Amino acid sequence: MGAAETATVVQSAALQPGLFGLRLEADARLVQACEPGRYLMLSVGDGNEPYLPRPYWVRRVSAVWLNLLVGVGGAGSGWLATRRPGDPVEFFGPLGTTLIPPPRTRRLLLSGDLPGLNCLLALADRALARDIEVALVFHGAVDTSARLIPPDVELLTELNASALTWADALYAIGDPSVVHTAKAALRTAGSRIPAFGVPHVPLACGVGACYGCLVETRRGPKLSCVNGPAFGLADLS
Ligand code: FES
């Protein structure tokens, strides 16, 4: 599958075991379109191997820069981790829809894991810029000395009734198990705050053509790339 745009690596660094960071410079018009929740389909190899691009949420950090955290575990992510300043990375996008917390949100609770980290951070940035308090329950190891998490984001250890009482909106972003855990926590706490699940699912085409990104909901199967990426948590099966 061809890629229409090219970004240039301006920084690269191993941040902690299994986690690599890239800063990409791209056309300002495209970078401005990279709102929280939207993703890029990145070519992740030289030539045609791997053939399919990989979806990555990105975090806009300036008018022309995007930060990309890559959990290194396969051929595609391994290739990205070999990129160095000056290297090109081809992509198309951004695709998907923007995550916008409900209008009266003052305290935003985020819950997620490594696959959701780029999206979590992008959403946290957006909320903080609007004077919304943000707390994050991160499922996994994060090296706080690497300053991956903005200092204004409160890190919580558990998604419990106390956290849900504090918050007036919740996003669970990452592996489907993280989303299901959030749904169970909400039910246990009897919380009725607006709550959304953003499951990280495989996206092969990104445009609704391959049906590879089906998400089961109470309203029937939906496509993450077209109908998502956020779904009402109560709607997710
Ligand atoms: S990624 Fe192909 S239909 Fe969604």
Side-chain angles (χ1 to χ4, degrees), residues 202-213 223 225:
L203 303 180
C205 74
V207 294
C210 72
Y211 281 63
C213 64
L223 295 176
C225 67

Side-chain angles (χ1 to χ4, degrees), residues 196-218:
F196 307 91
V198 184
H200 185 266
V201 294
L203 303 180
C205 74
V207 294
C210 72
Y211 281 63
C213 64
L214 284 178
V215 173
E216 293 297 332
T217 77
R218 295 199 318 192

Side-chain angles (χ1 to χ4, degrees), residues 1-9 22 24-26 30 39-56 58 66 68 76 79-80 83 86-94:
M1 185 172 298
E5 308 287 348
T6 301
T8 303
V9 177
L22 290 176
L24 303 173
E25 184 170 314
L30 294 169
Y39 56 90
L40 300 180
M41 299 295 284
L42 301 180
S43 293
V44 289
D46 300 308
N48 280 337
E49 195 57 44
Y51 178 66
L52 291 175
R54 301 287 195 270
Y56 278 95
V58 288
L66 299 166
L68 176 65
W79 182 87
L80 283 173
R83 299 299 87 192
D87 286 345
V89 177
E90 295 189 323
F91 67 94
F92 66 93

Side-chain angles (χ1 to χ4, degrees), residues 48-220:
N48 280 337
E49 195 57 44
Y51 178 66
L52 291 175
R54 301 287 195 270
Y56 278 95
W57 281 308
V58 288
R59 179 187 185 194
R60 186 173 65 212
V61 292
S62 83
V64 293
W65 285 351
L66 299 166
N67 276 8
L68 176 65
L69 299 174
V70 180
V72 182
S77 57
W79 182 87
L80 283 173
T82 66
R83 299 299 87 192
R84 295 294 178 267
D87 286 345
V89 177
E90 295 189 323
F91 67 94
F92 66 93
L95 304 177
T97 54
T98 303
L99 303 184
I100 303 175
R104 285 193 286 277
T105 302
R106 303 310 324 152
R107 294 180 299 276
L108 179 64
L109 181 58
L110 304 176
S111 178
D113 59 3
L114 191 55
L117 189 53
N118 292 301
C119 187
L120 290 162
L121 295 177
L123 187 54
D125 287 345
R126 171 59 58 87
L128 291 170
R130 296 183 177 181
D131 293 326
I132 297 172
E133 294 178 64
V134 180
L136 167 64
V137 181
F138 190 71
H139 304 261
V142 63
D143 182 352
T144 50
S145 67
R147 303 190 181 178
L148 298 177
I149 311 294
D152 289 340
V153 173
E154 183 178 2
L155 266 177
L156 305 178
T157 57
E158 197 180 350
L159 184 59
N160 55 22
S162 168
L164 289 166
T165 301
W166 170 84
D168 45 27
L170 166 69
Y171 280 84
I173 303 173
D175 187 88
S177 64
V178 164
V179 174
H180 289 127
T181 297
K183 182 174 179 177
L186 212 67
R187 189 186 313 116
T188 301
S191 173
R192 301 178 67 85
I193 61 173
F196 307 91
V198 184
H200 185 266
V201 294
L203 303 180
C205 74
V207 294
C210 72
Y211 281 63
C213 64
L214 284 178
V215 173
E216 293 297 332
T217 77
R218 295 199 318 192
R219 301 160 203 257

